Amino acid sequence: MPPRHRDTDRVPSRLEGRATWLVSRAYARSSGLLNAGFGAAGGGLRGYHYRLLAALAEWGPASQAQLGRQTGIDRSDVTAALTELESRDLIERTADPDHGRRKIVTITAAGVDQLHRLDQVVDGVQDDFLAPLTPAERDRLVTLLTRLLDTPH
Amino acid sequence: MPPRHRDTDRVPSRLEGRATWLVSRAYARSSGLLNAGFGAAGGGLRGYHYRLLAALAEWGPASQAQLGRQTGIDRSDVTAALTELESRDLIERTADPDHGRRKIVTITAAGVDQLHRLDQVVDGVQDDFLAPLTPAERDRLVTLLTRLLDTPH
DNA sequence: CATTCAATGTTGGTCATGCCAACATAGCGA
DNA sequence: TCGCTATGTTGGCATGACCAACATTGAATG
């Protein structure tokens, strides 16, 4: 039998079973779905905005540096994303009375509403993303990834 | 007990068990390790170059469009990455005698050597990346991700 | 055979995520 | 008081991924 000549749906064997390769493919798919969903229903918001709104809704007002640490987003990117959220009136920035430079960021009612809409999008994407797996397999995958990431490194 | 005030090592509960979130965190870690490894030992090459060299070494000479389909890299990015590989004499581009526009890309001996060096890097990164998991867990993770990605979507 | 269509390589953009450096300023600790 | 750290901001870079347009070529269709 001659070698197969199909161009696509094949992966060099060097990559095939590599965890880093699989994770990068999974991420490409996941972020594609997420961007499509955010683009369609998110009013131009992206992952950074969702993370920040989620942190504010869950833990209440915080300084920008605090938000950065909570969400794993760089301080400079926090600044930019908050400026966009502020221009849409989804958050408010007020000066911290006890600290000259610090600003306290608060989510607005509209921000909470928007967050709920984004939650819907994210939920839908989970289903699409995990569609090939059974519920038990989905749980196992989540557990393994959680263990992989929880361990300090 | 007052609420905890630690800034870091926490994740909004909305994100915590989400597969897309975990995958994005895993990818951030994995690509960080990979970039560090490639930067240290890869002679300025990146993931695209590795994928292309791997495909050429495994399946032999191919046209650029073929390479793009094999590796999942866009035609335009293939062009750019091949130009860089060519300038390092890791690949060669020759005109296809049977086809005017098409170019046949071949990996050179130096390219094969470089690929072997990159293999070492990638192998080392797998170990770092998967360190928190037992061998059995690593296998399960790879199996689950493979199943997740194999299914046509 | 002629015309259309698809494939090819290339150029030149865009976007999102993640970093890093530098800076001015503010607060804190030694 | 002096020096260190934290803070918000600006501006930049790298990587991966994608897209549009173009000229050219081969192949398919009428």
Side-chain angles (χ1 to χ4, degrees):
Chain A
M1 191 164 61
R4 296 166 59 193
H5 285 300
R6 280 183 57 219
D7 274 355
T8 190
D9 286 334
R10 298 211 50 194
V11 164
S13 59
R14 252 165 252 274
L15 299 177
E16 205 160 23
R18 253 36 181 273
T20 51
W21 167 256
L22 294 166
V23 165
S24 94
R25 300 303 54 197
Y27 173 73
R29 182 120 73 102
S30 137
S31 63
L33 292 170
L34 243 17
N35 287 338
F38 281 166
L45 299 183
R46 294 156 297 147
Y48 278 0
H49 304 115
Y50 181 66
R51 289 200 230 170
L52 291 168
L53 290 177
L56 287 168
E58 178 153 346
W59 297 316
S63 76
Q64 299 190 189
Q66 230 176 348
L67 280 170
R69 286 185 294 265
Q70 288 171 348
T71 58
I73 303 175
D74 189 83
R75 291 207 313 274
S76 60
D77 300 319
V78 170
T79 295
L82 288 181
T83 300
E84 291 160 348
L85 290 173
E86 195 178 29
S87 77
R88 289 170 169 77
D89 293 314
L90 304 177
I91 59 122
E92 277 173 0
R93 281 197 263 214
T94 60
D96 184 338
D98 301 339
H99 196 298
R101 262 190 117 47
R102 191 146 43 193
K103 298 181 181 178
I104 303 292
V105 182
T106 310
I107 191 169
T108 65
V112 174
D113 287 351
Q114 181 66 52
L115 177 59
H116 291 337
R117 278 190 292 275
L118 295 179
D119 280 337
Q120 307 286 325
V121 171
V122 172
D123 277 345
V125 167
Q126 304 307 306
D127 282 345
D128 289 349
F129 180 62
L130 293 172
L133 302 183
T134 67
E137 287 173 329
R138 298 179 188 196
D139 285 349
R140 274 198 286 162
L141 180 62
V142 166
T143 301
L144 285 169
L145 287 174
T146 302
R147 263 183 51 67
L148 181 70
L149 296 167
D150 266 2
T151 314
H153 37 282
Chain B
M1 193 164 61
R4 294 168 58 193
H5 286 299
R6 281 184 53 219
D7 275 354
T8 190
D9 287 334
R10 300 210 49 191
V11 164
S13 59
R14 253 165 252 271
L15 299 177
E16 204 159 24
R18 253 34 181 273
T20 52
W21 167 256
L22 293 166
V23 164
S24 94
R25 301 303 53 195
Y27 173 72
R29 183 120 72 101
S30 136
S31 63
L33 292 170
L34 243 17
N35 287 339
F38 280 165
L45 300 182
R46 293 156 299 148
Y48 278 0
H49 303 115
Y50 181 67
R51 288 199 229 171
L52 291 168
L53 290 177
L56 287 168
E58 178 152 346
W59 297 316
S63 75
Q64 300 189 186
Q66 231 175 348
L67 280 171
R69 285 185 294 265
Q70 288 171 348
T71 58
I73 302 175
D74 189 85
R75 289 207 315 273
S76 60
D77 299 320
V78 170
T79 296
L82 288 180
T83 301
E84 291 161 346
L85 290 173
E86 195 177 30
S87 77
R88 289 169 169 77
D89 293 314
L90 303 178
I91 59 124
E92 275 172 0
R93 283 197 262 213
T94 61
D96 185 338
D98 301 337
H99 196 298
R101 256 186 125 48
R102 192 145 43 194
K103 297 181 181 177
I104 303 292
V105 182
T106 311
I107 191 168
T108 65
V112 174
D113 287 351
Q114 181 66 51
L115 177 59
H116 291 335
R117 277 191 293 276
L118 295 180
D119 280 338
Q120 306 286 326
V121 170
V122 172
D123 277 345
V125 167
Q126 303 307 307
D127 282 344
D128 288 350
F129 179 62
L130 293 173
L133 302 183
T134 67
E137 288 172 329
R138 299 179 187 196
D139 285 350
R140 276 198 284 163
L141 180 62
V142 166
T143 302
L144 285 168
L145 287 174
T146 302
R147 264 182 52 67
L148 181 70
L149 296 166
D150 267 3
T151 314
H153 36 280

